[in-house]
Amino acid sequence: MLEASRWRRLALAIGQLSRPRSLAFGLLAAHSLWPLTATAETESAPEPVENPYLYLDWFPKSQLDPTLRNQVSPICGGMFVEPLRAYPDSDKLPEESPLRATADSSDWLENGTAQLRGNVHITQGYRQLFADQVDVNREENTAYLSGAIEMREPGMLVRGKAAEVHTDSKAASIEDATYVVHEDAAHGSARFASREASGELILTEGNYTRCEPDDVFWRMIGGEIAIDNVERQGTARNVRLEIADVPVFYFPYLRFPVGDERLSGFLFPSISNSDENGWDIAVPYYWNIAPQLDATIAPRYVQYRGTGLELEGRHLSPAFSTELRLAGLPDDEGGNDEDARRLINEGFPEDLVLPAKGEDRWYANLNQLGGTGGLWRTKIDYTKVSDPDYFRDLDNAEIKVPQNVSARAMTSLGQSAQASLTTEHWFASLRAQEYQQLVKDRFDTYSQLPRLNVNGNYKWDDWQLLLEHEITTFDHEDTQTIQYIADVDDPDSVTTSTRDFVNATRAYANYSFGWDKQWLWGFFNPQINGIYLGYELAETFLADPDMNTPEASAAQISIDSGLFFERYGNLFQQEYVQTLEPRLFLMASTDADQSDFLNVSNSSSDGGNDLLYDTSLFTFSYDQLFRDSRFNGHDRIDDADRASFGLTTRFIDPRSGRDLFAASAGQIFYSEASRIELRDFIEDVPRSEFAARLESRPSDALRISSEVIYHDTDHTINRGNVTLRYLDDNFRLINASYRYLRKEEVYDSTDTYLIQGPVKQIDLSAAWPVNDRLSLLARANYDLTFERELEYLAGIEYDTCCYRTRLLWRRELDNDLADVVPPEELEFDEGVYIELQLKGLAGIGGSVTRILTQGIANFEQREVLKQ
């Protein structure tokens, strides 16, 4: 007989059941003690809260012990808990264990049938069976169960009112079944269920869901559902999907994961609507070709552009991982852009306003990593589109762009392939690099075909020898012509620009030998460098063909040194360690005559005049004070003698090591007022701007940073920013930032419209939980210079164990005509987006997640923390 406490729980469960069929399930409710400990039941504790789903091994949070309760996500109301298997051989396989049976009574009949009556419990290894009565036919190797039936295996529970079990194959069939797959929170019922010898559970006229039993938002209902708990997959035939008890989709055949495994089958369609493209519908099919190979194929229909196809394939092998993405849309119909039609009606050429109309549009991306982390490695990163407007017009519906930025905001794409070889002291790499320009009024960038690097690294205690070699061939068509609209108010302002390019092979070498000594109280790093830079130029367009091999070299010595001072203090009962860290960087160089690098071409255009192939100035900041070169690239030798002085102080939490507050400031002083920049020599600038930086982490959740670049001669701030980031364990996310960049104001020809001005932007964003399930989402990105919004977002997120939905309103600056329309005339796009994710099944409207990830800093990290 059942002990009194178990009868009490059964009575509570039965009392909540309203359907006659469920009464039989309720009578089976408790064959084990679940999370309520025996100790707790013998004490004079209050009666547990009523639990109508006890028969499903479901326990609300209030009935879980603290250990299990801590494992439940805040958005979930409870969990499925398997009872303990406290009987002999419970940890063994059934085929390795004897069959044991207990009952209130048993009889052997003359025909060889055994009858077990009352609280029948049969075990064989980890497999258990409970019933009111069992008839075992030894000749047919079958057992007939009736009454209150319960079948258990690790991770699975099936209940019913009658069953037939084949004792030789272990297959079973159950009438009026209810089932639970504990680990994946999958459960449901069926008029008829069968458990195959393979372990597969087949449901006829059944249903399936992964929602909590007291909040079933979605479920599949239909003819036949098969759940393979071994292969972790399920199939359904002739089923419909119901959301909030409303039929939404019908599937003649559907495969779905039981867990996190991927399965072949149609995914939910991606559906959106916009003024320019109309309805945009993609129906992706996922093909699980092999464990190491899969693909997603998505036919796509765009109402105002046409029909296309997208493809994504992935392959993983011991030596290579490969991702291939392709998309195509033939004969683009041009879209429905009112601004473009207005410009065409005003007389602007259609081939400049809508250059892709009637053309085949396509996108290709290949990412491959090779090597095992040892001697050799390879890397391919290739992305190319049919035209500069591809992402602004189309963007991919299902095939995601790999870059972690908005595709519509990209200005160039790269195509590179690299192979490298690494030994103990040497590293060699061979790389090919090309670029595709996505801005129409800019010329293409030089290709690097190829670039060879051979670098050596030798260390003896604190001494180090570095040997750096590079040979690069820069290639470009000799002359390039581009055409664009210069003034949107003037149809005659179509501008044609032509530029000549000087191709070259560049050789660069840098040998350095230094002593890198560090102590607890400071560091001292003197270093000697020898640098060589030379070119072999194509003679086309050279002002002096005999000057086709310009070169320069320099010998340099540098000293980087610093001291660390510490003291302990206490403020407002908060202990801290304060540091004072002065740092001094000195560099002296021989003169590197680089005048031959300037104005080498006799062409009126300036494309290759100054031999700048891959080089720019570093954005000046506090960290740049202590670099041995101001240039990012090898087209210039930084031979400016200088002394850089910086001072940092930190207030450190001694327990966590976190910087409660840190401030740094410094400046560079040059021994000569004249020094080489990118395109000329600058004069009468004896020192750099003043750089200051503030950082603070008053808690693990909050980070504050600011940087200011101050011109102490003009007494102006050239650049500045302040940023606040907050993300805590309760998933509360706040971002606030302000950015300033000084630029000269430029107006149009009538001095009416501001075309260029200082960058002054404020960006505020947040994801704030109202409670465990409901969150508010918002972003405001505003341009103070042009007094206009760049992007506004507002939305809500509702997240449960069963589903997640997001409703988002977005207003953003339309950049589709950014190349031809001045900033003040750009229009806005506005739309409402919805995303619904049925957890454990599929999602609809995945573009909302991309919008939030790109618009709200740390939103992706918040998603990881919530898992």
Side-chain angles (χ1 to χ4, degrees):
M1 296 295 294
L2 293 175
E3 60 269 27
S5 61
R6 295 174 67 186
W7 279 118
R8 188 162 56 246
R9 291 198 300 277
L10 285 175
L12 290 170
I14 294 170
Q16 298 298 316
L17 299 174
S18 58
R19 293 181 297 174
R21 191 178 73 181
S22 299
L23 179 60
F25 302 153
L27 292 173
L28 302 171
H31 291 282
S32 298
L33 298 184
W34 284 284
L36 302 177
T37 65
T39 303
E41 293 184 309
T42 58
E43 296 175 352
S44 58
E47 289 292 323
V49 178
E50 294 181 355
N51 179 10
Y53 303 102
L54 187 61
Y55 69 94
L56 292 175
D57 294 347
W58 169 262
F59 289 86
K61 284 182 180 180
S62 60
Q63 295 185 11
L64 295 171
D65 63 47
T67 302
L68 291 176
R69 192 180 303 125
N70 291 335
Q71 298 176 14
V72 180
S73 170
I75 62 176
C76 299
M79 67 186 303
F80 293 94
V81 182
E82 284 190 81
L84 298 176
R85 295 189 298 275
Y87 58 86
D89 301 325
S90 62
D91 57 344
K92 294 183 180 180
L93 297 172
E95 55 269 22
E96 298 175 355
S97 307
L99 181 69
R100 292 184 172 88
T102 61
D104 291 345
S105 64
S106 61
D107 292 308
W108 286 97
L109 303 183
E110 294 180 357
N111 60 3
T113 300
Q115 293 182 338
L116 305 177
R117 296 293 184 267
N119 293 313
V120 181
H121 183 199
I122 301 174
T123 66
Q124 189 174 19
Y126 59 64
R127 185 172 293 136
Q128 296 185 83
L129 187 150
F130 299 88
D132 283 346
Q133 62 182 37
V134 178
D135 295 328
V136 180
N137 189 317
R138 298 180 61 186
E139 294 181 358
E140 298 179 0
N141 293 321
T142 58
Y144 300 92
L145 294 76
S146 59
I149 299 167
E150 175 181 335
M151 303 179 64
R152 287 189 179 274
E153 292 185 4
M156 181 179 289
L157 162 67
V158 182
R159 298 184 184 274
K161 73 174 184 180
E164 178 181 337
V165 178
H166 296 271
T167 57
D168 52 351
S169 66
K170 307 301 184 298
S173 56
I174 307 100
E175 295 181 20
D176 284 346
T178 300
Y179 68 92
V180 176
V181 181
H182 297 82
E183 182 180 354
D184 302 302
H187 62 97
S189 61
R191 187 183 66 81
F192 187 81
S194 63
R195 184 202 174 280
E196 303 301 313
S198 62
E200 187 177 29
L201 182 65
I202 299 178
L203 311 171
T204 303
E205 297 182 24
N207 60 74
Y208 169 90
T209 185
R210 290 178 68 175
C211 297
E212 297 177 346
D214 58 348
D215 185 19
V216 179
F217 178 74
W218 67 266
R219 60 184 174 181
M220 288 190 300
I221 301 177
E224 182 179 285
I225 301 173
I227 301 174
D228 192 334
N229 201 29
V230 177
E231 298 294 331
R232 314 291 290 162
Q233 64 181 12
T235 58
R237 292 176 172 84
N238 297 320
V239 296
R240 67 182 184 271
L241 173 67
E242 290 188 354
I243 298 178
D245 295 328
V246 177
V248 176
F249 291 106
Y250 168 77
F251 300 96
Y253 179 79
L254 177 69
R255 299 187 71 185
F256 57 92
V258 180
D260 299 326
E261 284 74 11
R262 293 176 173 265
L263 297 174
S264 297
F266 282 101
L267 306 177
F268 277 86
S270 172
I271 304 174
S272 63
N273 182 273
S274 66
D275 293 337
E276 184 177 341
N277 288 339
W279 287 104
D280 189 343
I281 304 173
V283 183
Y285 179 83
Y286 176 77
W287 184 13
N288 188 28
I289 304 171
Q292 73 281 2
L293 180 64
D294 64 9
T296 301
I297 305 168
R300 183 181 182 186
Y301 167 73
V302 185
Q303 182 180 2
Y304 297 138
R305 293 192 180 276
T307 302
L309 186 69
E310 298 179 355
L311 170 67
E312 179 179 49
R314 302 185 302 176
H315 179 256
L316 183 65
S317 71
F320 294 95
S321 64
T322 306
E323 295 182 0
L324 175 65
R325 300 174 178 89
L326 301 171
L329 191 148
D331 193 16
D332 190 331
E333 297 173 11
N336 181 34
D337 193 326
E338 293 183 2
D339 293 328
R341 285 200 300 269
R342 174 177 58 82
L343 292 175
I344 294 172
N345 291 336
E346 291 176 358
F348 288 93
E350 184 178 25
D351 61 343
L352 289 183
V353 179
L354 295 174
K357 184 176 181 180
E359 301 294 329
D360 296 336
R361 315 290 296 276
W362 54 265
Y363 158 82
N365 169 252
L366 174 63
N367 281 275
Q368 185 181 77
L369 293 176
T372 57
L375 190 64
W376 64 275
R377 293 187 182 186
T378 62
K379 181 179 180 180
I380 299 175
D381 186 356
Y382 182 96
T383 305
K384 196 166 187 177
V385 291
S386 57
D387 56 89
D389 292 324
Y390 179 87
F391 289 121
R392 288 184 290 204
D393 289 346
L394 289 166
D395 204 354
N396 293 324
E398 285 297 317
I399 311 304
K400 306 301 185 298
V401 179
Q403 288 91 341
N404 190 27
V405 297
S406 171
R408 294 165 63 95
M410 289 189 296
T411 59
S412 65
L413 297 174
Q415 302 100 39
S416 65
Q418 177 175 309
S420 62
L421 189 66
T422 304
T423 65
E424 181 181 2
H425 297 292
W426 289 90
F427 170 81
S429 69
L430 186 65
R431 176 187 180 110
Q433 175 78 63
E434 290 189 330
Y435 298 93
Q436 181 182 10
Q437 190 63 251
L438 299 184
V439 181
K440 299 174 186 175
D441 59 355
R442 297 181 187 175
F443 292 94
D444 290 337
T445 307
Y446 282 93
S447 302
Q448 301 178 23
L449 300 173
R451 186 179 75 187
L452 174 66
N453 292 86
V454 180
N455 301 327
N457 186 341
Y458 291 87
K459 292 196 70 174
W460 305 273
D461 295 328
D462 298 324
W463 298 92
Q464 185 174 37
L465 174 65
L466 300 178
L467 308 170
E468 182 179 356
H469 311 84
E470 179 185 299
I471 297 177
T472 308
T473 297
F474 294 98
D475 183 69
H476 197 291
E477 57 181 317
D478 290 342
T479 301
Q480 182 184 4
T481 300
I482 60 175
Q483 193 175 44
Y484 56 93
I485 299 173
D487 186 355
V488 71
D489 294 322
D490 182 7
D492 296 326
S493 67
V494 175
T495 302
T496 301
S497 294
T498 299
R499 178 174 292 178
D500 299 329
F501 292 84
V502 177
N503 294 324
T505 297
R506 184 185 69 195
Y508 176 85
N510 186 352
Y511 292 2
S512 67
F513 181 72
W515 185 47
D516 187 4
K517 185 61 177 179
Q518 299 186 27
W519 301 272
L520 291 176
W521 48 267
F523 65 92
F524 186 68
N525 180 16
Q527 186 169 284
I528 300 174
N529 287 62
I531 303 175
Y532 170 81
L533 172 62
Y535 296 86
E536 182 176 343
L537 306 178
E539 296 183 2
T540 308
F541 309 126
L542 289 185
D544 184 355
D546 294 333
M547 296 293 294
N548 64 336
T549 58
E551 59 184 7
S553 60
Q556 299 177 346
I557 182 171
S558 64
I559 299 175
D560 192 5
S561 59
L563 297 173
F564 304 124
F565 300 97
E566 293 183 357
R567 73 179 184 92
Y568 290 85
N570 190 299
L571 182 63
F572 303 119
Q573 297 182 343
Q574 170 73 49
E575 294 182 353
Y576 64 86
V577 177
Q578 182 186 4
T579 70
L580 190 65
E581 306 169 28
R583 184 174 180 180
L584 177 65
F585 178 82
L586 304 172
M587 193 185 88
S589 175
T590 61
D591 291 334
D593 185 3
Q594 300 172 73
S595 58
D596 289 344
F597 298 163
L598 307 178
N599 299 317
V600 299
S601 173
N602 62 5
S603 173
S604 58
S605 65
D606 59 352
N609 286 5
D610 298 320
L611 301 188
L612 287 173
Y613 296 101
D614 64 353
T615 301
S616 61
L617 281 168
F618 280 110
T619 300
F620 186 68
S621 66
Y622 180 80
D623 291 331
Q624 304 307 319
L625 301 178
F626 311 106
R627 285 184 176 272
D628 57 8
S629 178
R630 295 169 287 122
F631 302 106
N632 180 18
H634 293 154
D635 289 313
R636 297 290 183 267
I637 297 176
D638 186 353
D639 62 347
D641 298 346
R642 59 186 179 270
S644 302
F645 180 75
L647 183 64
T648 297
T649 183
R650 308 175 195 270
F651 291 82
I652 304 171
D653 183 347
R655 286 185 289 270
S656 65
R658 187 176 65 248
D659 282 354
L660 301 174
F661 178 79
S664 301
Q667 195 169 19
I668 303 175
F669 300 89
Y670 297 95
S671 63
E672 297 181 3
S674 175
R675 58 184 180 274
I676 191 170
E677 291 294 297
L678 291 176
R679 300 186 181 278
D680 53 15
F681 289 85
I682 63 172
E683 305 286 344
D684 300 324
V685 185
R687 58 185 178 272
S688 73
E689 301 155 303
F690 185 82
R693 181 175 63 193
L694 301 176
E695 296 178 318
S696 177
R697 288 193 60 192
S699 68
D700 288 333
L702 179 62
R703 296 170 182 248
I704 304 172
S705 62
S706 179
E707 188 168 36
V708 174
I709 305 301
Y710 177 74
H711 199 295
D712 60 352
T713 302
D714 297 339
H715 304 291
T716 56
I717 294 177
N718 286 349
R719 182 166 55 88
N721 63 73
V722 58
T723 301
L724 180 147
R725 300 276 187 264
Y726 180 85
L727 176 60
D728 62 20
D729 294 336
N730 295 319
F731 317 120
R732 293 178 293 191
L733 171 62
I734 298 177
N735 301 298
S737 65
Y738 172 78
R739 183 167 70 100
Y740 173 80
L741 178 62
R742 184 186 179 194
K743 283 187 176 181
E744 181 182 358
E745 292 185 349
V746 178
Y747 289 85
D748 67 349
S749 57
T750 63
D751 287 334
T752 304
Y753 298 116
L754 182 66
I755 298 176
Q756 175 185 290
V759 176
K760 293 186 289 184
Q761 295 178 1
I762 187 170
D763 196 345
L764 305 173
S765 60
W768 194 263
V770 178
N771 52 43
D772 288 339
R773 293 187 171 183
L774 181 65
S775 297
L776 302 179
L777 311 171
R779 184 196 185 195
N781 188 13
Y782 192 80
D783 188 332
L784 299 172
T785 301
F786 292 96
E787 297 183 347
R788 64 184 179 188
E789 61 267 34
L790 299 176
E791 182 179 40
Y792 281 175
L793 296 176
I796 58 174
E797 173 189 78
Y798 190 76
D799 197 2
T800 73
C801 256
C802 171
Y803 69 96
R804 179 177 64 193
T805 183
R806 291 176 177 140
L807 180 65
L808 186 67
W809 168 80
R810 183 189 196 190
R811 175 180 168 89
E812 65 170 338
L813 204 62
D814 184 0
N815 290 314
D816 287 350
L817 294 176
D819 295 329
V820 296
V821 175
E824 71 280 351
E825 293 191 12
L826 289 175
E827 301 294 333
F828 290 90
D829 279 340
E830 190 171 348
V832 176
Y833 306 83
I834 188 168
E835 177 181 83
L836 176 62
Q837 179 186 353
L838 307 180
K839 296 185 178 180
L841 191 61
I844 306 173
S847 60
V848 174
T849 297
R850 279 190 286 169
I851 292 172
L852 294 172
T853 300
Q854 295 165 0
I856 301 179
N858 286 339
F859 188 84
E860 188 172 8
Q861 183 180 352
R862 173 182 179 266
E863 294 296 282
V864 173
L865 291 176
K866 291 185 68 175
Q867 293 178 359

